[in-house]
């Protein structure tokens, strides 16, 4: 057994011994009545920025979609494989979430690859995936100082994903009716703090 398998098994045993006894009834209710999350979160796959931990969420509260650089592609119902779009459709149309949050984070490898180029070893999938954000990041690079580029680019990708969310007609319609709220956040890993997208040029500390 590998070290990672040992860690997973140990974590599972802690879950069963320490968490499961008090959470069992809650899980049984979720199993029989189904899930009703209030929020859909689009987050990065980065292991350092876990939405469930950051928001201290209980099972059933968050419907989480994670991918490299927390990107939302534009609406494109062409019959091809669209994992993020499928999750959005399910979360909004079937689960009826009331809020969609796009959460970026500090030191994002995907955004860094948009700035500096993706390594050749990830040319099959990562490179074309992050290419959708490259024009936005290039524009940011032309407008901010080099020492501000990383953070500004991470915020710009959150804004891009929010804009792309509004290309989905059933998201835009619900937002216009006040039935769905869209929010953008950025998580500072070292500080453990969230900043939020507002009408100001840069993200502001979350109240």
């Amino acid at each position: 057994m590998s070290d990672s398998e040992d860690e997973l098994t140990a974590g599972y045993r802690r879950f069963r011994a320490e968490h499961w006894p008090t959470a069992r009834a809650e899980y049984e209710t979720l199993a029989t009545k189904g899930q009703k999350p209030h929020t859909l979160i689009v987050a990065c796959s980065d292991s350092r920025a876990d939405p469930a931990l950051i928001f201290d969420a209980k099972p059933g509260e968050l419907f989480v979609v994670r991918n490299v650089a927390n990107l939302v592609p534009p609406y494109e119902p062409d019959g091809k494989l669209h994992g993020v779009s499928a999750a959005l459709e399910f979360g909004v149309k079937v689960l009826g979430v009331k809020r969609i949050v796009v959460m970026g984070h500090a030191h994002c490898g995907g955004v860094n690859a948009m700035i500096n180029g993706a390594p050749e070893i990830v040319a099959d999938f990562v490179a074309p995936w992050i290419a959708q954000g490259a024009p936005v990041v290039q524009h940011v690079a032309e407008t901010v100082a080099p020492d501000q580029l990383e953070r500004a680019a991470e915020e710009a990708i959150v804004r891009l994903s929010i804009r792309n969310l509004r290309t989905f007609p059933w998201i835009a319609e619900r937002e216009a009716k006040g039935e769905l709220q869209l929010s953008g956040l950025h998580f500072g890993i070292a500080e453990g703090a969230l900043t939020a997208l507002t009408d100001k040029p840069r993200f502001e500390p979350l109240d």
Side-chain angles (χ1 to χ4, degrees):
M1 182 178 289
S2 68
D3 289 343
S4 62
E5 288 174 319
D6 284 340
E7 291 173 2
L8 288 175
T9 302
Y12 164 69
R13 287 172 178 159
R14 288 194 300 272
F15 166 79
R16 289 290 295 180
E18 301 170 13
H19 181 71
W20 178 253
T22 58
R24 180 173 180 173
E26 183 178 6
Y27 277 93
E28 288 176 345
T29 299
L30 288 169
T32 56
K33 294 187 176 181
Q35 61 173 322
K36 191 63 178 176
H38 52 74
T39 300
L40 186 156
I41 297 183
V42 180
C44 185
S45 300
D46 194 296
S47 60
R48 301 166 295 178
D50 185 342
L53 289 175
I54 294 167
F55 297 105
D56 191 26
K58 296 180 181 179
E61 292 184 336
L62 304 179
F63 189 69
V64 181
V65 186
R66 301 183 72 171
N67 65 66
V68 174
N70 42 268
L71 285 162
V72 174
Y75 180 70
E76 193 174 13
D78 54 11
K80 296 181 180 179
L81 303 178
H82 297 282
V84 174
S85 300
L88 290 170
E89 185 174 50
F90 187 80
V92 173
K93 291 187 174 182
V94 178
L95 299 178
V97 296
K98 301 302 181 184
R99 184 178 184 183
I100 301 177
V101 174
V102 177
M103 188 185 77
H105 68 92
H107 313 300
C108 179
V111 174
N112 181 270
M114 295 176 202
I115 297 171
N116 298 304
E120 292 184 6
I121 57 173
V122 293
D124 289 348
F125 299 106
V126 174
W129 174 253
I130 64 171
Q132 61 188 303
V136 171
V137 169
Q138 180 60 41
H139 175 72
V140 172
E142 296 169 355
T143 58
V144 302
D147 63 343
Q148 299 179 9
L149 176 55
E150 181 181 56
R151 175 62 180 270
E154 290 161 357
E155 293 178 357
I157 292 304
V158 172
R159 288 190 177 92
L160 172 64
S161 289
I162 294 287
R163 289 197 300 272
N164 285 344
L165 282 172
R166 293 185 171 119
T167 67
F168 290 75
W170 28 270
I171 289 178
E173 179 182 348
R174 285 168 172 78
E175 184 186 28
K177 291 180 178 179
E179 299 172 352
L180 183 64
Q181 178 185 356
L182 306 185
S183 303
L185 297 172
H186 181 277
F187 178 65
I189 294 172
E191 303 83 14
L194 286 168
T195 54
L197 171 64
T198 68
D199 57 358
K200 296 181 179 180
R202 298 301 300 271
F203 283 33
E204 296 288 310
L206 187 66
D207 295 333

